[in-house]
Amino acid sequence: AAAHPDEAAPNKEHSQPSNDFNLLKQAGFVIFHPRRIQQQCKTLRYTSFAPSSSSPSSIDGEAVADEDERKRDNITAQEVFDIIRNIQDPEHPLTLEQLNVVRLELIEVVDLFGDDGPGVDKMEIDPNALNGEMYNKKFSTVKIQFTPTIPHCSMATLIGLSLRVKLFRSLPPRFKVSVKIEPGTHVSEHAINKQLSDKERVRAALENEHLLGVVNRCIAGGMQM
């Protein structure tokens, strides 16, 4: 809204603005007096109805979302196995399940929430862990051990990468994933486990377009559940 011409000083310098106000009135614009604008303009009499971040409705919405999260079903070892069972072996036209590379009993899932959920940082011995390992209760975890087809399998690292990438793409971000070779089943298990646990090495390996293409071909079959 434009200011009212009555506020202009009665001199020649302000004659032009008055003419402009008249033109605005003729064009259909509503002109409000600056000292009476709140009484004249109804839209300024009321506060904004836009919700604020601290409004009760937004707090209630957050509470509902939090309650929904608490009601979610935990992810189980069987569900993780279903995700990876159909990954293709890099050398053979068979799945990792068919070659007995992955097995349900070698999958450990700790899906946390509530008092032991995200934000709680304490270490405990997992009673269901494969090796009685300590785990950080700040994150939900998925630990997988796989068995190479032979002790000198040259594709063991590629299989491990395929498992990590498939789980990364399939699981919620609350999970930390660990992929290792079953103890005593490969001559280079310690070196390969170290590579698969190093995020920087995994990231660098997947920046190789050829290697990433091979991994994508392996996990493409894993989409079939």
Side-chain angles (χ1 to χ4, degrees), residues 72 74-77 80 107-113 116 118 122-124 126 128-129 133-144 167 171-179:
R72 65 167 170 76
N74 288 349
I75 291 179
T76 65
V80 173
I107 298 175
E108 170 201 333
V109 178
V110 179
D111 196 355
L112 303 171
F113 198 77
D116 294 333
K122 59 181 179 179
M123 302 294 292
E124 288 188 3
D126 181 9
N128 299 317
E133 297 177 351
M134 302 288 286
Y135 69 94
N136 190 340
K137 299 194 73 176
K138 186 176 181 179
F139 297 97
S140 297
T141 58
V142 170
K143 296 181 180 180
I144 292 179
L167 292 171
L171 293 175
R174 67 177 180 272
F175 282 96
K176 294 186 68 174
V177 176
S178 172
V179 176

Side-chain angles (χ1 to χ4, degrees), residues 9-50:
N11 55 42
K12 295 182 180 179
E13 294 180 357
H14 293 280
S15 60
Q16 183 62 36
S18 297
N19 293 334
D20 293 339
F21 285 124
N22 291 331
L23 290 175
L24 289 172
K25 286 183 177 181
Q26 294 174 6
F29 289 92
V30 180
I31 307 299
F32 297 106
H33 193 287
R35 295 181 181 178
R36 296 190 296 272
I37 189 170
Q38 288 190 335
Q39 290 77 22
Q40 295 175 342
C41 183
K42 295 182 179 180
T43 58
L44 294 180
R45 298 179 189 177
Y46 308 100
T47 58
S48 172
F49 289 99

Side-chain angles (χ1 to χ4, degrees), residues 146-158:
F146 67 97
T147 309
T149 51
I150 56 175
H152 295 83
C153 179
S154 60
M155 296 289 112
T157 302
L158 188 55

